[in-house]
Amino acid sequence: ICSLLYAVNGLQARTFGVWTLLSSVIRCLCAIDIRNRTLYHITLFTFFLALAHFLSEVFIYHTAALTIGVMAPLMVASFSIMGMLIGLQYLEVEALSQNKKKN
């Protein structure tokens, strides 16, 4: 895979910064209210989106090489997705048990 260097302008840098801030806020809110299923799904989607973004930059657009700077977010997104999918099962079981208690 060839690594191409592209100039990043200020707008692109600020857009990526705003995305990072937004995804961080969403993830922190999910950590505070872990039982909020809608927020949990949105947070899970942010990790899928990050994983897809970095994989596409490496394998489709060839604008990034598999260095530690790219591997770190790939690993964080991958492990977070796995952990959140496991956690999602517990949220569903908890929701079912609460519904049984109400009836």
Side-chain angles (χ1 to χ4, degrees):
I1 298 174
C2 66
S3 176
L4 303 174
L5 297 176
Y6 291 98
V8 174
N9 65 32
L11 175 61
Q12 291 168 323
R14 288 187 298 276
T15 301
F16 193 75
V18 169
W19 159 252
T20 302
L21 178 63
L22 177 61
S23 62
S24 299
V25 169
I26 290 170
R27 293 167 187 171
C28 287
L29 290 173
C30 183
I32 292 168
D33 188 9
I34 195 77
R35 289 181 174 84
N36 183 332
R37 291 182 54 140
T38 303
L39 189 56
Y40 196 90
H41 285 103
I42 291 170
T43 303
L44 181 59
F45 179 73
T46 66
F47 286 113
F48 275 113
L49 195 59
L51 182 65
H53 166 70
F54 282 101
L55 286 174
S56 69
E57 292 298 331
V58 172
F59 296 111
I60 296 172
Y61 301 114
H62 305 290
T63 54
L66 280 175
T67 62
I68 190 67
V70 173
M71 291 296 294
L74 286 173
M75 290 173 27
V76 168
S78 299
F79 290 131
S80 297
I81 289 168
M82 287 189 297
M84 289 193 75
L85 289 174
I86 292 168
L88 188 60
Q89 294 174 349
Y90 290 103
L91 284 179
E92 291 174 357
V93 167
E94 184 181 44
L96 288 175
S97 67
Q98 286 180 356
N99 286 339
K100 287 182 181 179
K101 288 180 183 178
K102 289 180 182 178
N103 294 331

